[in-house]
Amino acid sequence: AQSVTQLDSQVPVFEEAPVELRCNYSSSVSVYLFWYVQYPNQGLQLLLKYLSGSTLVKGINGFEAEFNKSQTSFHLRKPSVHISDTAEYFCAVSSGYSGGGADGLTFGKGTHLIIQP
Amino acid sequence: DAEITQSPRHKITETGRQVTLACHQTWNHNNMFWYRQDLGHGLRLIHYSYGVQDTNKGEVSDGYSVSRSNTEDLPLTLESAASSQTSVYFCASSDGRRGPINEQFFGPGTRLTVL
């Protein structure tokens, strides 16, 4: 079984300040890791993903995340946030193939990023 | 452009009624998924399908069923709606043929209220 823990349910940050959203996972097998963003009243949009290779992954809108296997973490960072980054952020994990297709994702409970002017 | 749509976007129903939520994708993806989103729980997997005639139970499948008669559609049925099923429901799809893990594309969601 796999699980995801997002340590902060809400993170307030001033505009143009850096931010880190924390994510830890547990899994008995190799994992694939994702960060999704959900803007108000919308579906989820992929920010970035780690499948293999370089542990530093760059995504859209200036976000990046670092996969740390020893810490079982996949924290999301942005050096300077904007008002438009206000949204819910979800970390997710998948163990990959099962029965010939891709498994569903296991999501964390989400972190609400609040950007203050 | 390819897309994934859900209908209705909002639904109010009564306890005990059967409800079907539609999901339609034009990506030609073989994998489709249903999740529910609840405050404090994030998204939880209800059912998923790897292709036509294939369905699998997810983490919270009790009280729900799906059927996959074609590539494009995966309707979600609540056999006898309960107040505990009040939630926002998201459908997603991915192309499992292109590698071990591919991006899941999400629909806009259906807000269901069971009174």
Side-chain angles (χ1 to χ4, degrees):
Chain A
Q2 55 202 21
S3 65
V4 176
T5 301
Q6 290 184 245
L7 297 163
D8 305 297
S9 60
Q10 192 166 291
V11 173
V13 181
F14 286 107
E15 195 172 15
E16 297 184 7
V19 68
E20 179 179 82
L21 304 184
R22 297 180 293 170
C23 172
N24 287 88
Y25 68 92
S26 67
S27 176
S28 58
V29 297
S30 297
V31 296
Y32 305 95
L33 294 157
F34 305 80
W35 275 100
Y36 280 83
V37 60
Q38 184 181 30
Y39 298 106
N41 300 312
Q42 294 186 27
L44 277 71
Q45 178 183 358
L46 183 68
L47 270 180
L48 49 80
K49 61 185 176 183
Y50 171 79
L51 304 183
S52 64
S54 174
T55 56
L56 183 63
V57 180
K58 294 190 183 297
I60 62 172
N61 301 339
F63 284 93
E64 63 180 32
E66 185 155 19
F67 171 59
N68 187 321
K69 188 174 182 179
S70 62
Q71 303 279 339
T72 61
S73 68
F74 190 55
H75 300 332
L76 180 70
R77 295 190 289 260
K78 186 170 183 178
S80 176
V81 296
H82 303 282
I83 290 287
S84 59
D85 292 323
T86 296
E88 193 82 15
Y89 292 80
F90 292 95
C91 183
V93 63
S94 176
S95 58
Y97 265 128
S98 173
D103 277 348
L105 297 168
T106 299
F107 285 87
K109 295 182 179 181
T111 298
H112 189 196
L113 179 60
I114 301 169
I115 310 301
Q116 300 168 329
Chain B
D1 287 345
E3 61 178 354
I4 180 165
T5 58
Q6 294 183 235
S7 62
R9 294 294 312 277
H10 302 270
K11 174 77 175 178
I12 299 175
T13 191
E14 295 177 342
T15 301
R17 289 190 180 270
Q18 183 181 79
V19 176
T20 297
L21 309 182
C23 174
H24 180 80
Q25 53 98 1
T26 58
W27 293 97
N28 198 32
H29 286 164
N30 51 334
N31 300 331
M32 295 186 72
F33 309 85
W34 272 105
Y35 297 88
R36 60 177 289 174
Q37 182 179 28
D38 303 288
L39 199 62
H41 289 278
L43 282 83
R44 292 178 291 174
L45 183 64
I46 305 172
H47 281 286
Y48 58 103
S49 169
Y50 293 148
V52 176
Q53 302 300 332
D54 176 79
T55 62
N56 306 278
K57 293 182 178 180
E59 178 189 356
V60 291
S61 60
D62 287 349
Y64 303 94
S65 64
V66 293
S67 62
R68 186 90 180 271
S69 59
N70 59 50
T71 300
E72 296 80 17
D73 299 289
L74 187 70
L76 177 72
T77 298
L78 287 68
E79 303 293 344
S80 177
S83 58
S84 60
Q85 295 177 307
T86 292
S87 185
V88 180
Y89 292 85
F90 287 98
C91 181
S93 70
S94 70
D95 187 356
R97 295 165 295 182
R98 295 178 60 194
I101 283 290
N102 287 286
E103 177 181 355
Q104 290 192 18
F105 294 85
F106 282 79
T110 294
R111 184 175 295 275
L112 176 68
T113 302
V114 182
L115 301 176

